[in-house]
Amino acid sequence: MTILLLALVLGLAVYTVSTKDLLHGIIALSAISLLSALLFYLLDAPDVAITEAAVGAGVSAVIFIGVIRYTERRDTSE
Amino acid sequence: MKPGTRWTQFWTVLSFAALAAVLVPVFVIDAPWPAAARDYVEAQGVREIGSYNLVSAVYLGYRIFDTVGEIIVLIASVIGTVAVFSAAGAVLAEGYEIDLRNMSDREKQEIMDDSSFTLPGEKRHTHALRTHLLEVVTGVLGPVVVLFGFYIMVYGHSSPGGGFQGGVIIASGIVFLALGNRMESSTMLTRPPVLERIESAAFLVLALASFGGMFTGTGFFGDFLKEFALYPAGFMMIMKVSIGLIVGAGIGYLCIAMVGREIT
Amino acid sequence: MMNPENLIFLPVALPLAGAAAAFCAKAWCTGSLAKITEYGGALIGLALPWAFLAAVLPVIATGGVVEGVIGRWYEGIGITFRFDGLSWLVMVLIYSVTTAAWIYSLGAGPRNASFSAVYLILVSALSATIMTTDVFNLFVCLEMAGITSYVLIASSGKPGAALASFSYLLISASSMVFFLLGVYGLYRLTGALSYEGIAQGLQSLPDGGGTAAVVSLALMIAAVSVRVAVMPVSGWLPDAHALAPHAVSAVLSGVLIKVPLFALARVMLLMPAGMQAGALIGYAGAFTALFGVILALSQKDAKRLLAYHSISQIGYVVSAWGAAVHVGVTTPAGAALMAASFLHGLYHAMFKGLLFLSIGTTVDRTGQRDVYQLRGAARILRSGGERIPVTCICFFIGALAISAIPPFNGYVSKTALSHVLSGSFHYYLLTAAGVGTAASFIKLSRIYWPQKQGGEHSAARGRTPASVYISQLFLGGLCIAGGISASAVFAMVVNLLSASGAPVPEVAFYSSANMLKALLTVAAGLILFLLTATKKGGALLTTIRTRPRGFQDLFISFSLAAAVLVIWML
Amino acid sequence: MIERILILLLMLTGLWSIISKRNIIKKIFGFTLLNNAVVMLFVLEGSRIGKSAPILEEGISQVVDPVPQALMLTAIVIGVCMTALALALAFYLYKASGSFDIRKIREAVHDES
């Protein structure tokens, strides 16, 4: 189970890094946080799970989106 | 392609591979996990700290200074982030102070558009994500979420949760209130000056509480309420509530700053 | 309250309370009440610790070491702080420069309560960094010091400062993640976080922890080296120090790059491989001293020139420090090396702080940062209401000190360094670097030379505030006092550092041979300066200055430095 | 073992993003991934001993080690604070230079030296 979750996280991480649309990257990042929160819950760490879900999927996603919406969404470099 | 580019790529790959190779030994340690700390906390944690949640016992008891350091990082980060944002021309959270009565419909509409959740490149109408439904629901849910945050904050000693987690939930409640009530009736809680006051007062309480133990013989950040035993984990409660208020007000401020409108 | 075990936390607790007061002043008070609260907070945070330092000196001077666990919990889990001679000395360094720079900021900005709050948090974090003996708490303290410094650098409001702050943030936050990985490795092996527990745990392991322990330690050392700005990983420093507000530059150059270094000394003694690493870092430091000064000589921006000198001077400190760790800090030779290293760190903090403040005042007043353009700065300063040329005099005190001219403090510490390092490989590199230092300060001091043609600089209006002069005079006085009382200070530093009472090496500070060497260095520096003033030399300097620098280089050099460190330690 | 290799790969993904991507938002993504990977490693290994979550109730013993979990709470928060400040600076740099590309930013900001 943990292997499956981690493989999923890794796949999402590669997507986050390689996507051209920054918003998709942010959503994938939030999904990584949620999956890792689930992972932490399975690993008997409920406190870390709550924090990761609240911080990773909530606060940091809000801040990322807050920046993206005033700037640009495409990764135009390269 | 410039002549230096390929050389840079070579160095990039080389250094990356070198660091990757170096990291491997740390990841493959197979020694048994040392249990000394676990055994001590399991045996003594409840008696010494008064918390059934052993993570809280470590987080808010034995290693309280790490937690305080983290909260200080948060405070500095909020101050810095808000300062940088306002320097960049995003005047934050202006919407709450605007008197709507003297405005024309078009100006109101502009403010609505500016404060919507639209993203660049979005094809829909500008404030499609900011529906009336959203306002009503978040406005009603806001106080409930804040209350739930307090619950998580206060009951962290016997169940998962604690000051920080509760604080984040309070912050999301504050953001809900801000989203729900921003145009018609503004809540005190969503005004940046009020949030800043809460944050600074809680920080002052935290800093002063650190001195308490020095007078009662339990040392810096020591449990100075130990002898009075007003409530199990009384000192931990002070820490939790002040941390929760700092986090709630700070992160709430940060998020409101992010959804505030921009004036350039 | 007067229990020493409580007292040692005061340098952390007092600035924290001061920061809280300053933050409250911003949020709750208006008008003069806000000012009173803010200054009260600064008084608590910056002045009261001096009383503490004076009070504990008798205990520390007799070899006393006070250890305290925060909250008096079980020391196997709780955080232990250790107050010994090293902590006392580094705190003197911290508070002397931060006090002066805060006074300077009152006059020259940034002048608001948020700045004071963040600044006091920085002071508190630095005090905690030097006292903590817990790897995870060291991580937290370094992050506290880090985030406040990013905020303070960005507070100057220039786009360049934002980029510098961003680069610094990303490289140092990423390297701190590797530090955390090192913490993981050590906790995984020993189950302890305090230095003492880790050292015991590693000894009880069959092979002393093996490769994994060495890699963990190497990652931690590499991460802290980024903060210290030893050469391969120093690329973030020039921009950050040049573009920050002047008061912040003084603190960054004077204090922030040295405190992690001395805190690292405690970590490196955890295992024998750490002493091995000391040798490598010592060599890196010696090369840093030389290359830093070459780069400094090629700069044309006055503050950037000073920033490269910070890299160069930290190279001096690191070379002796690395050698001290290599031979063992408790041995007599190691104690002398460490004392010379610390003495140079302390004196560098004073004269570099002074230089940043005086150059900062000058460039603010004249509106010109280019060393090749600015001339006649003394006259422009006089037009700003400066009857006695305080800024000019203070600049020359600092410049003479950094070029190691007697009787200023830089001469003392560099003499001590060459005495303890004499004959080694480092010595020659450092001597060469000394020549470059003299040359580059001859170059920089030209800005005060009288102007030939009519002035076209747009001088700023208004009078220079008094606090600017007070802070400069304070640091200038310390520079002279440190130079005059050379032997006494050196003996005191050795005593405080060795704790067991190692013999103080006899350094003849004002012997004719040493004075002659200083004079020869300056003469060689003058020749070097004249060489660089020729057409060919100028072209060479321009080539060095405009060499391409990239963001990637920071990470590439960090990765390679970590890898090389691991290979060396194995 | 496979878990730890996956976490190492996750860490390397983040590092690669920081080193080689030119978009500064991508670099911040990389930092977030890097931080997450270390947190996962700590918690994963910390749950090796013990059988249940570290909340003592009736009849519960042999809990997992609470210390790494408490440490990771701190690390997560510090990571998000760094991310927030980095994003604010990225926003500022975008306003100053009109791009997220690190080279364009450097050109726009550093024309004086």
Side-chain angles (χ1 to χ4, degrees):
Chain A
M1 188 65 188
T2 49
I3 294 176
L4 191 69
L5 277 174
L6 279 170
L8 212 53
V9 165
L10 186 60
L12 280 170
V14 172
Y15 177 72
T16 308
V17 171
S18 59
T19 178
K20 282 278 166 201
D21 190 334
L22 294 176
L23 182 65
H24 293 188
I26 295 167
I27 293 167
L29 213 57
S30 307
I32 288 175
S33 282
L34 283 178
L35 285 178
S36 43
L38 183 59
L39 179 73
F40 296 149
Y41 183 74
L42 294 177
L43 291 172
D44 294 323
D47 283 275
V48 189
I50 292 178
T51 312
E52 177 69 42
V55 166
V59 176
S60 76
V62 167
I63 303 170
F64 267 113
I65 290 176
V67 168
I68 292 296
R69 78 182 254 257
Y70 287 134
T71 53
E72 64 176 21
R73 186 172 155 182
R74 311 295 306 179
D75 178 3
T76 46
S77 59
E78 286 151 289
Chain B
M1 187 182 255
K2 278 184 276 178
T5 319
R6 184 167 295 170
W7 198 234
T8 316
Q9 273 178 354
F10 167 74
W11 279 108
T12 311
V13 173
L14 178 73
S15 65
F16 183 72
L19 191 59
V22 159
L23 290 183
V24 170
V26 180
F27 278 83
V28 297
I29 305 172
D30 249 331
W33 183 271
R38 193 274 310 259
D39 293 343
Y40 182 84
V41 179
E42 196 176 343
Q44 305 290 334
V46 176
R47 189 179 61 79
E48 284 189 353
I49 311 279
S51 163
Y52 291 94
N53 182 350
L54 297 181
V55 176
S56 286
V58 177
Y59 184 69
L60 293 163
Y62 294 113
R63 299 188 67 86
I64 179 72
F65 190 67
D66 282 348
T67 313
V68 172
E70 157 208 323
I71 296 303
I72 290 168
V73 168
L74 184 92
I75 291 171
S77 162
V78 169
I79 294 178
T81 307
V82 172
V84 171
F85 262 104
S86 22
V91 177
L92 307 166
E94 196 74 8
Y96 313 113
E97 313 292 342
I98 292 175
D99 188 4
L100 286 171
R101 279 166 298 184
N102 301 328
M103 279 190 178
S104 68
D105 284 348
R106 205 170 142 267
E107 282 170 329
K108 280 185 193 169
Q109 186 62 44
E110 273 174 11
I111 293 174
M112 290 286 280
D113 288 353
D114 282 344
S115 53
S116 68
F117 273 131
T118 330
L119 292 154
E122 202 85 60
K123 288 196 185 64
R124 279 171 287 187
H125 181 57
T126 42
H127 63 284
L129 280 173
R130 191 179 162 72
T131 59
H132 195 60
L133 187 67
L134 178 80
E135 277 175 31
V136 172
V137 170
T138 54
V140 173
L141 270 181
V144 183
V145 174
V146 172
L147 195 66
F148 179 61
F150 271 98
Y151 174 83
I152 294 279
M153 187 165 95
V154 172
Y155 277 87
H157 62 282
S158 58
S159 62
F164 185 82
Q165 293 89 334
V168 175
I169 295 172
I170 291 175
S172 59
I174 290 172
V175 174
F176 273 24
L177 286 173
L179 290 177
N181 297 341
R182 65 189 302 161
M183 296 314 259
E184 289 79 21
S185 60
S186 52
T187 320
M188 284 287 278
L189 255 187
T190 59
R191 290 197 183 141
V194 176
L195 290 177
E196 208 168 37
R197 283 183 185 185
I198 296 173
E199 194 185 352
S200 61
F203 183 29
L204 192 64
V205 169
L206 192 70
L208 292 181
S210 73
F211 285 93
M214 291 190 187
F215 296 99
T216 60
T218 47
F220 182 54
F221 274 111
D223 185 354
F224 61 90
L225 293 175
K226 209 178 215 169
E227 290 172 23
F228 304 108
L230 294 172
Y231 177 81
F235 178 72
M236 199 172 141
M237 192 59 77
I238 297 176
M239 288 288 128
K240 264 190 302 200
V241 172
S242 53
I243 287 172
L245 289 178
I246 291 175
V247 172
I251 292 186
Y253 189 12
L254 205 63
C255 292
I256 288 177
M258 292 292 169
V259 296
R261 81 198 188 96
E262 178 188 20
I263 299 172
T264 34
Chain C
M1 188 69 183
M2 290 311 288
N3 186 343
E5 212 175 304
N6 289 331
L7 276 177
I8 64 163
F9 295 108
L10 286 180
V12 180
L14 288 172
L16 209 57
F23 193 29
C24 282
K26 184 192 169 215
W28 289 91
C29 313
T30 49
S32 57
L33 186 61
K35 280 278 166 238
I36 292 168
T37 321
E38 186 196 336
Y39 294 167
L43 200 68
I44 294 170
L46 294 172
L48 284 186
W50 282 107
F52 156 78
L53 286 177
V56 292
L57 181 59
V59 183
I60 299 301
T62 52
V65 173
V66 187
E67 285 201 351
V69 184
I70 289 184
R72 303 254 169 97
W73 302 115
Y74 167 59
E75 70 271 14
I77 300 171
I79 300 162
T80 317
F81 273 32
R82 180 186 165 89
F83 195 88
D84 53 9
L86 182 66
S87 311
W88 191 87
L89 288 168
V90 173
M91 270 180 204
V92 170
L93 189 161
I94 294 171
Y95 283 102
S96 54
V97 177
T98 49
T99 309
W102 189 78
I103 294 171
Y104 182 86
S105 82
L106 283 181
R111 192 173 3 187
N112 54 51
S114 303
F115 169 78
S116 294
V118 176
Y119 190 84
L120 287 167
I121 290 175
L122 175 63
V123 174
S124 167
L126 288 169
S127 310
T129 306
I130 191 60
M131 282 203 296
T132 184
T133 58
D134 184 286
V135 276
F136 191 77
N137 193 243
L138 181 62
F139 165 80
V140 174
C141 292
L142 286 173
E143 290 282 33
M144 267 155 74
I147 196 153
T148 43
S149 60
Y150 318 141
V151 172
L152 290 176
I153 292 167
S155 73
S156 82
K158 295 175 214 148
L163 180 60
S165 174
F166 182 80
S167 317
Y168 181 24
L169 192 160
L170 217 52
I171 178 68
S172 99
S174 309
S175 63
M176 287 317 281
V177 174
F178 290 98
F179 186 97
L180 198 55
L181 194 63
V183 173
Y184 161 78
L186 293 178
Y187 186 76
R188 181 78 182 74
L189 288 167
T190 62
L193 291 165
S194 64
Y195 298 169
E196 215 169 310
I198 289 172
Q200 283 170 5
L202 286 176
Q203 273 170 9
S204 64
L205 287 175
D207 53 348
T211 319
V214 171
V215 172
S216 306
L217 188 63
L219 287 175
M220 288 162 67
I221 293 171
V224 179
S225 307
V226 173
R227 293 294 176 85
V228 177
V230 192
M231 198 48 146
V233 285
S234 63
W236 58 268
L237 187 143
D239 284 348
H241 287 199
L243 295 166
H246 311 311
V248 177
S249 297
V251 174
L252 291 178
S253 272
V255 185
L256 202 73
I257 55 179
K258 304 205 186 74
V259 175
L261 181 73
F262 292 107
L264 186 63
R266 300 184 201 267
V267 181
M268 291 180 74
L269 301 174
L270 285 182
M271 61 175 92
M275 294 167 81
Q276 288 283 321
L280 180 67
I281 296 178
Y283 285 118
F287 279 109
T288 306
L290 187 57
F291 289 129
V293 85
I294 292 171
L295 289 167
L297 192 53
S298 69
Q299 298 304 312
K300 64 176 185 181
D301 181 307
K303 274 189 80 181
R304 199 176 291 267
L305 191 151
L306 290 179
Y308 274 106
H309 267 293
S310 293
I311 299 183
S312 163
Q313 300 293 318
I314 196 75
Y316 281 79
V317 177
V318 169
S319 59
W321 177 90
V325 171
H326 183 56
V327 300
V329 182
T330 45
T331 59
L337 280 164
M338 197 67 174
S341 163
F342 173 78
L343 197 65
H344 193 63
L346 175 68
Y347 284 173
H348 171 247
M350 287 167 184
F351 58 68
K352 186 51 72 64
L354 180 62
L355 283 168
F356 263 118
L357 297 186
S358 55
I359 287 290
T361 314
T362 310
V363 297
D364 273 359
R365 188 45 63 178
T366 57
Q368 174 66 268
R369 296 169 69 119
D370 192 330
V371 181
Y372 294 111
Q373 301 287 324
L374 181 58
R375 289 291 177 277
R379 209 194 60 200
I380 300 169
L381 281 168
R382 204 172 307 132
S383 71
E386 193 174 312
R387 290 219 191 84
I388 312 163
V390 176
T391 309
C392 190
I393 291 171
C394 285
F395 168 78
F396 277 103
I397 292 175
L400 293 176
I402 198 172
S403 317
I405 312 267
F408 297 103
N409 59 0
Y411 167 74
V412 171
S413 54
K414 284 194 183 172
T415 310
L417 276 176
S418 31
H419 179 81
V420 293
L421 284 171
S422 62
S424 69
F425 171 69
H426 306 98
Y427 175 76
Y428 302 104
L429 287 179
L430 294 188
T431 311
V435 174
T437 310
S440 61
F441 274 91
I442 294 169
K443 175 178 167 181
L444 184 57
S445 62
R446 282 192 305 171
I447 64 172
Y448 291 101
W449 291 1
Q451 197 168 23
K452 283 179 196 121
Q453 64 271 41
E456 70 272 20
H457 304 306
S458 55
R461 305 245 170 270
R463 294 178 65 86
T464 313
S467 63
V468 169
Y469 300 131
I470 295 172
S471 56
Q472 290 183 43
L473 287 173
F474 175 63
L475 284 176
L478 283 179
C479 284
I480 296 174
I484 292 169
S485 56
S487 311
V489 173
F490 187 61
M492 180 173 152
V493 170
V494 174
N495 271 330
L496 282 175
L497 282 180
S498 61
S500 54
V504 180
E506 287 293 327
V507 187
F509 284 109
Y510 291 105
S511 72
S512 51
N514 281 335
M515 306 265 258
L516 187 66
K517 191 192 156 211
L519 276 184
L520 283 177
T521 309
V522 175
L526 190 61
I527 294 167
L528 183 62
F529 167 70
L530 292 175
L531 281 178
T532 59
T534 58
K535 204 164 226 174
K536 228 172 209 172
L540 182 66
L541 291 188
T542 311
T543 321
I544 298 174
R545 182 173 72 234
T546 51
R547 82 203 182 288
R549 279 171 301 147
F551 188 79
Q552 274 186 338
D553 302 350
L554 284 175
F555 287 88
I556 293 173
S557 50
F558 171 74
S559 311
L560 285 178
V564 169
L565 197 57
V566 169
I567 293 164
W568 176 275
M569 284 164 75
L570 287 175
Chain D
M1 194 61 183
I2 301 171
E3 290 104 324
R4 279 178 277 162
I5 297 298
L6 285 173
I7 291 175
L8 176 61
L9 289 176
L10 181 62
M11 196 161 180
L12 294 178
T13 313
L15 191 64
W16 180 250
S17 181
I18 298 179
I19 293 186
S20 70
K21 292 288 170 182
R22 278 161 52 189
N23 188 305
I24 53 176
I25 300 287
K26 285 281 181 71
K27 285 179 190 287
I28 301 173
F29 283 170
F31 169 69
T32 312
L33 292 175
L34 208 60
N35 207 44
N36 272 8
V38 175
V39 172
M40 283 183 198
L41 181 65
F42 247 106
V43 175
L44 178 75
E45 289 292 287
S47 65
R48 274 194 157 203
I49 53 164
K51 297 180 194 68
S52 58
I55 296 167
L56 288 183
E57 285 160 12
E58 288 294 316
I60 286 194
S61 61
Q62 288 294 307
V63 297
V64 302
D65 193 346
V67 177
Q69 296 189 13
L71 301 187
M72 285 309 102
L73 291 178
T74 306
I76 290 174
V77 179
I78 288 178
V80 81
C81 292
M82 296 292 163
T83 310
L85 188 60
L87 277 169
L89 289 167
F91 179 66
Y92 186 97
L93 290 173
Y94 184 87
K95 288 287 164 199
S97 68
S99 172
F100 276 141
D101 190 331
I102 186 78
R103 293 187 196 181
K104 286 184 188 153
I105 292 173
R106 190 171 277 278
E107 279 164 21
V109 165
H110 268 275
D111 42 5
E112 80 270 18
S113 63

